[in-house]
Amino acid sequence: EFHEEATMLTSVECTCALPVAFGQAAKGKMLKGARSIVLAILMCSGFILRVILSSKLTVPRVVELVSNLINGVEDKATMRTAAGKVLEGSILEPHRALLVLCSFGLTGLNVLWLFKILHGAWKVVTRGRRRANENGKDSDKAAKGSQKEGESKDKAGV
């Protein structure tokens, strides 16, 4: 019954090592060149996949739970797998409702982590551009400074 869900959950949990790898590489100052680009792409795509798969598991059950709570249906409040198979028992049973809400909370945390990762990747990308711009400005300032020194020497007659 749960082969599809187990596969999706395993795929989701495989991305847990990516932030750890990123943190270790950052501490060891190993985030340079192609390695940083590959790790950034893996983290972004891995967490996008993580959010999509956890949402696919969670959102239909949350919608089902909320609609059953609003409508007050207790007899036919069934729980379904991701594949659509009907499970025995009611989704309104306290332990199942709690599991659905916990799963929804974890999906929310996955979304939060995705935004943090995308923000961090954006900062790294824009920092590289900013450094290139600053280096360009510094070299322009140095060139202008040497021109001014040359002009002042010419005026002084040196």
Short mmCIF file of all heavy atoms in Angstrom, two decimals, residues 60-95:
data_model
loop_
_atom_site.label_atom_id
_atom_site.label_comp_id
_atom_site.label_asym_id
_atom_site.label_seq_id
_atom_site.Cartn_x
_atom_site.Cartn_y
_atom_site.Cartn_z
N PRO A 60 -2.96 17.15 0.15
CA PRO A 60 -4.28 16.52 -0.01
C PRO A 60 -4.88 16.05 1.32
O PRO A 60 -6.10 16.17 1.53
CB PRO A 60 -4.01 15.31 -0.92
CG PRO A 60 -2.74 15.64 -1.62
CD PRO A 60 -1.95 16.48 -0.67
N ARG A 61 -4.04 15.58 2.23
CA ARG A 61 -4.57 15.12 3.52
C ARG A 61 -5.01 16.29 4.38
O ARG A 61 -6.00 16.18 5.11
CB ARG A 61 -3.52 14.29 4.24
CG ARG A 61 -3.33 12.96 3.54
CD ARG A 61 -2.43 12.07 4.29
NE ARG A 61 -2.35 10.80 3.60
CZ ARG A 61 -1.32 9.99 3.68
NH1 ARG A 61 -0.29 10.32 4.43
NH2 ARG A 61 -1.31 8.86 3.03
N VAL A 62 -4.30 17.39 4.33
CA VAL A 62 -4.71 18.57 5.09
C VAL A 62 -6.03 19.11 4.56
O VAL A 62 -6.93 19.44 5.34
CB VAL A 62 -3.61 19.66 5.05
CG1 VAL A 62 -4.11 20.97 5.63
CG2 VAL A 62 -2.38 19.19 5.79
N VAL A 63 -6.16 19.16 3.24
CA VAL A 63 -7.41 19.63 2.63
C VAL A 63 -8.56 18.70 3.02
O VAL A 63 -9.65 19.16 3.38
CB VAL A 63 -7.27 19.72 1.09
CG1 VAL A 63 -8.61 19.94 0.42
CG2 VAL A 63 -6.29 20.82 0.73
N GLU A 64 -8.30 17.41 2.98
CA GLU A 64 -9.32 16.42 3.37
C GLU A 64 -9.70 16.58 4.83
O GLU A 64 -10.89 16.56 5.18
CB GLU A 64 -8.76 15.02 3.10
CG GLU A 64 -9.75 13.90 3.29
CD GLU A 64 -9.13 12.55 2.95
OE1 GLU A 64 -8.06 12.51 2.33
OE2 GLU A 64 -9.74 11.54 3.35
N LEU A 65 -8.73 16.76 5.71
CA LEU A 65 -8.99 16.93 7.14
C LEU A 65 -9.79 18.19 7.40
O LEU A 65 -10.80 18.16 8.12
CB LEU A 65 -7.68 16.97 7.91
CG LEU A 65 -7.79 17.20 9.41
CD1 LEU A 65 -8.46 16.01 10.09
CD2 LEU A 65 -6.42 17.45 10.01
N VAL A 66 -9.39 19.30 6.80
CA VAL A 66 -10.08 20.57 7.01
C VAL A 66 -11.50 20.51 6.46
O VAL A 66 -12.45 20.97 7.11
CB VAL A 66 -9.29 21.74 6.39
CG1 VAL A 66 -10.10 23.02 6.38
CG2 VAL A 66 -7.99 21.94 7.14
N SER A 67 -11.67 19.93 5.27
CA SER A 67 -13.02 19.85 4.70
C SER A 67 -13.92 18.96 5.55
O SER A 67 -15.11 19.26 5.72
CB SER A 67 -12.97 19.35 3.26
OG SER A 67 -12.55 18.00 3.21
N ASN A 68 -13.38 17.88 6.12
CA ASN A 68 -14.18 17.03 6.99
C ASN A 68 -14.51 17.72 8.31
O ASN A 68 -15.59 17.54 8.85
CB ASN A 68 -13.46 15.70 7.28
CG ASN A 68 -13.56 14.75 6.11
OD1 ASN A 68 -14.56 14.70 5.42
ND2 ASN A 68 -12.50 14.00 5.88
N LEU A 69 -13.58 18.52 8.81
CA LEU A 69 -13.86 19.27 10.03
C LEU A 69 -14.91 20.35 9.81
O LEU A 69 -15.78 20.57 10.65
CB LEU A 69 -12.57 19.90 10.58
CG LEU A 69 -11.59 18.93 11.22
CD1 LEU A 69 -10.29 19.66 11.56
CD2 LEU A 69 -12.17 18.30 12.47
N ILE A 70 -14.84 21.03 8.68
CA ILE A 70 -15.80 22.09 8.37
C ILE A 70 -17.18 21.52 8.09
O ILE A 70 -18.19 22.04 8.58
CB ILE A 70 -15.32 22.93 7.17
CG1 ILE A 70 -14.10 23.75 7.58
CG2 ILE A 70 -16.42 23.85 6.64
CD1 ILE A 70 -13.42 24.48 6.44
N ASN A 71 -17.23 20.43 7.33
CA ASN A 71 -18.51 19.83 6.98
C ASN A 71 -19.10 19.01 8.12
O ASN A 71 -20.28 18.69 8.09
CB ASN A 71 -18.38 18.96 5.73
CG ASN A 71 -18.03 19.77 4.50
OD1 ASN A 71 -18.33 20.96 4.43
ND2 ASN A 71 -17.38 19.14 3.55
N GLY A 72 -18.29 18.65 9.08
CA GLY A 72 -18.78 17.86 10.20
C GLY A 72 -19.08 16.42 9.85
O GLY A 72 -19.83 15.75 10.55
N VAL A 73 -18.52 15.91 8.79
CA VAL A 73 -18.74 14.52 8.37
C VAL A 73 -17.86 13.63 9.22
O VAL A 73 -16.64 13.77 9.23
CB VAL A 73 -18.40 14.33 6.88
CG1 VAL A 73 -18.59 12.90 6.46
CG2 VAL A 73 -19.24 15.26 6.03
N GLU A 74 -18.46 12.70 9.93
CA GLU A 74 -17.68 11.81 10.78
C GLU A 74 -17.72 10.37 10.28
O GLU A 74 -16.79 9.63 10.46
CB GLU A 74 -18.17 11.87 12.22
CG GLU A 74 -17.89 13.22 12.85
CD GLU A 74 -18.25 13.24 14.32
OE1 GLU A 74 -18.32 12.16 14.93
OE2 GLU A 74 -18.45 14.33 14.84
N ASP A 75 -18.81 9.97 9.66
CA ASP A 75 -18.95 8.58 9.25
C ASP A 75 -18.10 8.25 8.03
O ASP A 75 -17.50 7.19 7.96
CB ASP A 75 -20.42 8.26 8.93
CG ASP A 75 -21.29 8.36 10.17
OD1 ASP A 75 -20.74 8.24 11.28
OD2 ASP A 75 -22.50 8.59 10.02
N LYS A 76 -18.04 9.14 7.07
CA LYS A 76 -17.35 8.83 5.81
C LYS A 76 -16.01 9.57 5.69
O LYS A 76 -15.52 9.79 4.61
CB LYS A 76 -18.24 9.20 4.63
CG LYS A 76 -19.51 8.39 4.58
CD LYS A 76 -20.35 8.76 3.41
CE LYS A 76 -21.64 7.96 3.40
NZ LYS A 76 -22.50 8.31 2.30
N ALA A 77 -15.45 9.99 6.79
CA ALA A 77 -14.18 10.72 6.77
C ALA A 77 -13.04 9.72 6.64
O ALA A 77 -12.42 9.33 7.60
CB ALA A 77 -14.03 11.55 8.02
N THR A 78 -12.77 9.32 5.41
CA THR A 78 -11.74 8.31 5.17
C THR A 78 -10.39 8.97 4.91
O THR A 78 -10.30 10.16 4.62
CB THR A 78 -12.11 7.46 3.94
OG1 THR A 78 -12.25 8.32 2.81
CG2 THR A 78 -13.38 6.69 4.18
N MET A 79 -9.36 8.17 5.01
CA MET A 79 -8.01 8.63 4.72
C MET A 79 -7.51 7.88 3.50
O MET A 79 -7.71 6.67 3.38
CB MET A 79 -7.11 8.38 5.92
CG MET A 79 -5.77 9.00 5.84
SD MET A 79 -4.96 8.90 7.45
CE MET A 79 -3.48 9.77 7.10
N ARG A 80 -6.85 8.59 2.59
CA ARG A 80 -6.37 7.98 1.36
C ARG A 80 -4.84 8.06 1.29
O ARG A 80 -4.24 8.97 1.83
CB ARG A 80 -6.97 8.69 0.15
CG ARG A 80 -8.47 8.60 0.08
CD ARG A 80 -8.99 9.34 -1.16
NE ARG A 80 -10.43 9.32 -1.21
CZ ARG A 80 -11.15 8.35 -1.73
NH1 ARG A 80 -10.55 7.29 -2.23
NH2 ARG A 80 -12.45 8.40 -1.74
N THR A 81 -4.26 7.11 0.55
CA THR A 81 -2.82 7.17 0.29
C THR A 81 -2.58 8.15 -0.85
O THR A 81 -3.53 8.66 -1.46
CB THR A 81 -2.27 5.79 -0.11
OG1 THR A 81 -2.88 5.39 -1.35
CG2 THR A 81 -2.55 4.75 0.96
N ALA A 82 -1.32 8.41 -1.17
CA ALA A 82 -1.00 9.31 -2.28
C ALA A 82 -1.49 8.74 -3.60
O ALA A 82 -1.82 9.48 -4.52
CB ALA A 82 0.50 9.54 -2.35
N ALA A 83 -1.58 7.42 -3.70
CA ALA A 83 -2.07 6.77 -4.92
C ALA A 83 -3.59 6.77 -4.99
O ALA A 83 -4.16 6.39 -6.00
CB ALA A 83 -1.55 5.34 -5.00
N GLY A 84 -4.26 7.17 -3.90
CA GLY A 84 -5.72 7.25 -3.90
C GLY A 84 -6.42 6.07 -3.26
O GLY A 84 -7.64 6.01 -3.25
N LYS A 85 -5.67 5.13 -2.73
CA LYS A 85 -6.30 3.98 -2.07
C LYS A 85 -6.89 4.41 -0.74
O LYS A 85 -6.30 5.19 0.01
CB LYS A 85 -5.27 2.87 -1.83
CG LYS A 85 -4.72 2.28 -3.10
CD LYS A 85 -3.70 1.21 -2.79
CE LYS A 85 -3.11 0.66 -4.07
NZ LYS A 85 -2.06 -0.31 -3.81
N VAL A 86 -8.08 3.90 -0.45
CA VAL A 86 -8.77 4.25 0.79
C VAL A 86 -8.25 3.37 1.92
O VAL A 86 -8.15 2.16 1.80
CB VAL A 86 -10.29 4.06 0.64
CG1 VAL A 86 -11.01 4.34 1.95
CG2 VAL A 86 -10.84 4.95 -0.46
N LEU A 87 -7.89 4.00 3.03
CA LEU A 87 -7.42 3.28 4.21
C LEU A 87 -8.57 3.08 5.18
O LEU A 87 -9.54 3.84 5.18
CB LEU A 87 -6.29 4.05 4.89
CG LEU A 87 -5.06 4.32 4.04
CD1 LEU A 87 -4.10 5.21 4.80
CD2 LEU A 87 -4.38 3.02 3.67
N GLU A 88 -8.44 2.09 6.03
CA GLU A 88 -9.46 1.85 7.04
C GLU A 88 -9.38 2.91 8.12
O GLU A 88 -8.31 3.41 8.45
CB GLU A 88 -9.27 0.47 7.67
CG GLU A 88 -9.54 -0.67 6.71
CD GLU A 88 -9.39 -2.02 7.39
OE1 GLU A 88 -9.51 -2.08 8.62
OE2 GLU A 88 -9.13 -2.99 6.68
N GLY A 89 -10.50 3.22 8.69
CA GLY A 89 -10.54 4.21 9.77
C GLY A 89 -10.83 5.60 9.23
O GLY A 89 -10.95 5.82 8.04
N SER A 90 -10.94 6.53 10.16
CA SER A 90 -11.30 7.89 9.83
C SER A 90 -10.10 8.81 9.96
O SER A 90 -9.25 8.63 10.83
CB SER A 90 -12.41 8.36 10.78
OG SER A 90 -12.64 9.73 10.62
N ILE A 91 -10.06 9.81 9.10
CA ILE A 91 -9.00 10.81 9.19
C ILE A 91 -9.21 11.70 10.41
O ILE A 91 -8.31 12.39 10.84
CB ILE A 91 -8.91 11.64 7.89
CG1 ILE A 91 -7.58 12.39 7.86
CG2 ILE A 91 -10.07 12.61 7.77
CD1 ILE A 91 -7.24 13.01 6.54
N LEU A 92 -10.42 11.69 10.95
CA LEU A 92 -10.73 12.52 12.11
C LEU A 92 -10.34 11.88 13.43
O LEU A 92 -10.51 12.51 14.48
CB LEU A 92 -12.22 12.88 12.11
CG LEU A 92 -12.68 13.75 10.95
CD1 LEU A 92 -14.18 13.95 10.98
CD2 LEU A 92 -11.94 15.07 10.94
N GLU A 93 -9.81 10.66 13.39
CA GLU A 93 -9.31 10.06 14.63
C GLU A 93 -8.16 10.92 15.13
O GLU A 93 -7.35 11.40 14.35
CB GLU A 93 -8.86 8.62 14.38
CG GLU A 93 -10.00 7.68 14.03
CD GLU A 93 -9.51 6.29 13.66
OE1 GLU A 93 -8.31 5.99 13.85
OE2 GLU A 93 -10.32 5.51 13.17
N PRO A 94 -8.08 11.15 16.44
CA PRO A 94 -7.09 12.11 16.96
C PRO A 94 -5.65 11.83 16.55
O PRO A 94 -4.93 12.76 16.18
CB PRO A 94 -7.26 11.98 18.48
CG PRO A 94 -8.64 11.47 18.67
CD PRO A 94 -8.94 10.61 17.49
N HIS A 95 -5.24 10.57 16.57
CA HIS A 95 -3.85 10.29 16.22
C HIS A 95 -3.57 10.57 14.74
O HIS A 95 -2.49 11.02 14.37
CB HIS A 95 -3.46 8.86 16.61
CG HIS A 95 -4.11 7.80 15.79
ND1 HIS A 95 -5.41 7.40 15.99
CD2 HIS A 95 -3.62 7.05 14.76
CE1 HIS A 95 -5.71 6.45 15.12
NE2 HIS A 95 -4.64 6.21 14.37
#
